[in-house]
């Protein structure tokens, strides 16, 4: 097989002189600084975007404040139908968006089509449905009245204002959609700051947003380095930040937000997610589980698993069968439809993964499979299976965010639970067993925001998602996100 043919509109989009998306249109940035967008498949520069400066940030915030005035007064049913229209437009332009996404992120084209377009449109429609269902409560006040007067009270859920959505590079379209859809459905306006590595697709989606009927200023996109994100949070005209990314940056974002007059913050951070294979697990299902949990999109998923605990008497068979499966994966160009395993998203990340392989060797872990960078153009690493010596080994404690599954054997299931919880992080975890009763008793004892049984990594818009411990604050999806994008106002009336 070979690379698919790029659509002419994709090449035309890459060739544009990209500015920022402010006030409902593309505008040139005030400064002249540019950022190269590099293809992970061949290390070539494919496009350039602007690095916004303080004048651009002021302009984006002014636009979003104006957009908030209009959009927050737009009827919920209209908000809902505009977001539905945007989902339809994303699907109509699906191949174009998928190709841009694959070019900038190295994600294999099948994943771009299925997740960055298809799944993102599904999430958008789910959020669109909430616009018409946001309610408060009526409350009968509790205290006795003094002179026979009566009281009644009710609550209102009101949009928080201007939301800054800071997006990482791993799922740059879908995560941007989560943020803009949460903001827009609740009546907030939004400024998206994409990752400097993957800023392109959202610039195109902003245009589709206008076509769908968003008023000017409701959705803005400001490209730039991390400092641009920081300046947006610090700006007195923004009210909330919704951040997805690494733990250290997330903690910095939280500090900045709290220091900026208690700007509200939702932090969805990474971690070091565990898989527990119970003694009775079917080995073939466990191998499929390890692939699903650790290797989808080269492990560059915040909920992906990196720590695998397996019963001592079954671990060799499990790792051997997993290695065979990984050996058979077709590694290649992400634009080739037959490719199963593509590059990682940027050179810095590839080098970071190389350093993890060195660390594993220095700590005398056994490299069961892989463990090297791949010598070819672009940013490729081998899918890797490692056997650690102890729970203290670096590969069982530091987030690699790559296609590296590190295993440790256990002797009894109480020990397995303790090992799974032995981490400062708590985003996700999974248990794999035929004994559902046993799993159900273990679920409440696992320290993670999401626990899966016989599955891993699948996110559904109806199911809340977010971390405990050092993996974040707040929840996306379900009904839970509404609390994070609205303020609760209490109204009390005497009569
Ligand atoms: O992520 P960051 P980076 C991990 C992964 C990766 C490492 C670094 O291990 O190798 O993080 O990747 C913006 N104030 N994950 O640097 O720093 C930044 O511009 C406000 C895990 O890409 O978390 C980008 O838009 N914003 C992860 C976004 O924050 C700031 C997903 C994320 O950047 C900022 C991605 C600041 N001070 C990487 N500094 C996950 N678990 O989901 C940076 N940014």
């Amino acid at each position: 097989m070979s690379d698919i043919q790029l659509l002419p509109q994709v090449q035309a989009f890459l060739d544009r002189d990209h500015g920022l998306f402010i006030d409902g249109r593309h505008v040139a940035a005030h400064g002249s600084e540019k950022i190269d967008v590099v293809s992970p498949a061949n290390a070539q520069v494919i496009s350039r975007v602007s690095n916004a400066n303080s004048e651009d940030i002021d302009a984006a915030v002014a636009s979003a404040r104006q957009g908030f005035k209009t959009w927050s007064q737009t009827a919920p049913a209209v908000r809902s139908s505009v977001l539905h229209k945007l989902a339809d437009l994303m699907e109509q332009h699906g191949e174009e968006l998928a190709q841009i996404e694959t070019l900038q992120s190295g994600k294999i084209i099948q994943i771009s089509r299925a997740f960055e377009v298809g799944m993102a449109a599904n999430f958008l429609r789910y959020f669109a449905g909430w616009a018409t269902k946001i309610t408060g409560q009526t409350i009968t006040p509790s205290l006795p009245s003094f002179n026979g007067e009566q009281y009644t009270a009710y609550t209102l859920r009101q949009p928080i204002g201007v939301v800054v959505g800071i997006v990482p590079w791993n799922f740059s379209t879908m995560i941007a959609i989560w943020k803009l859809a949460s903001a827009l459905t609740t009546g907030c306006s939004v400024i998206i700051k994409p990752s400097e590595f993957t800023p392109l697709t959202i610039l195109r989606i902003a245009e589709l947003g206008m076509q769908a009927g968003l008023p000017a200023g409701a959705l803005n996109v400001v490209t730039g380095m991390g400092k641009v994100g920081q300046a947006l949070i610090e700006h007195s005209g923004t009210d909330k930040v919704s951040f997805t990314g690494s733990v250290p940056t997330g903690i910095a974002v939280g500090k900045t937000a709290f220091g900026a007059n208690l700007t509200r913050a939702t932090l969805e951070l990474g971690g070091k997610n565990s898989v527990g294979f119970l003694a009775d697990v079917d080995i073939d299902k466990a191998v499929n589980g390890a692939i699903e949990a650790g290797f989808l999109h080269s492990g560059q998923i915040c909920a992906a698993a990196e720590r695998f605990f397996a019963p001592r008497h079954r671990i060799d068979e499990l790792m051997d069968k997993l290695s065979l499966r990984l050996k058979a994966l077709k590694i290649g160009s992400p634009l080739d439809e037959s490719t199963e395993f593509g590059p990682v998203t940027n050179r810095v990340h590839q080098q970071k993964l190389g350093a993890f392989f060195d660390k594993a060797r220095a700590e005398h872990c056994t490299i069961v499979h892989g463990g090297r960078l791949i010598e070819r153009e672009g940013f490729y690493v081998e899918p890797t299976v490692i056997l650690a010596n102890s729970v203290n080994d670096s590969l069982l404690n530091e987030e690699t965010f790559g296609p590296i599954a590190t295993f440790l054997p256990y002797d009894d299931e109480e020990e397995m639970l303790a090992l799974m919880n032995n981490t400062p992080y708590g985003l996700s975890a999974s248990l794999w067993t035929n004994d559902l009763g046993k799993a159900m008793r273990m679920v409440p004892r696992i320290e993670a925001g999401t626990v899966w049984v016989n599955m891993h990594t699948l996110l559904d818009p109806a199911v809340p998602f977010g971390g405990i411990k050092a993996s974040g604050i707040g929840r996306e999806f379900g009904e839970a996100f509404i609390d994070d994008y609205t303020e609760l106002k209490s109204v009390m009336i005497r009569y």
Side-chain angles (χ1 to χ4, degrees), residues 41 49 134 191 321:
V49 295
I134 298 169
I191 305 170
K321 286 195 166 168

Side-chain angles (χ1 to χ4, degrees), residues 60-73:
V61 175
S63 156
R65 289 242 68 92
Q66 194 55 41
F68 177 61
K69 276 192 193 153
T70 320
W71 186 244
S72 60
Q73 297 305 314

Side-chain angles (χ1 to χ4, degrees), residues 166-170 175 193-197 224-231 233 243-250 252-253 256 268-271 300-303 346 348-349 352 399-401 427:
I166 300 187
V167 179
W169 43 255
N170 58 332
I175 296 176
K193 208 300 278 174
S195 165
E196 53 275 29
F197 293 107
M225 305 300 288
K227 283 203 160 80
V228 173
Q230 184 177 340
I233 303 165
F243 171 87
T244 300
S246 62
V247 175
T249 306
V253 162
T256 306
E268 201 271 276
L269 314 181
Q300 301 170 114
I301 304 180
C302 52
N346 55 70
V348 184
H349 192 47
K352 187 176 135 186
E399 185 182 34
T400 69
F401 211 59
L427 185 60

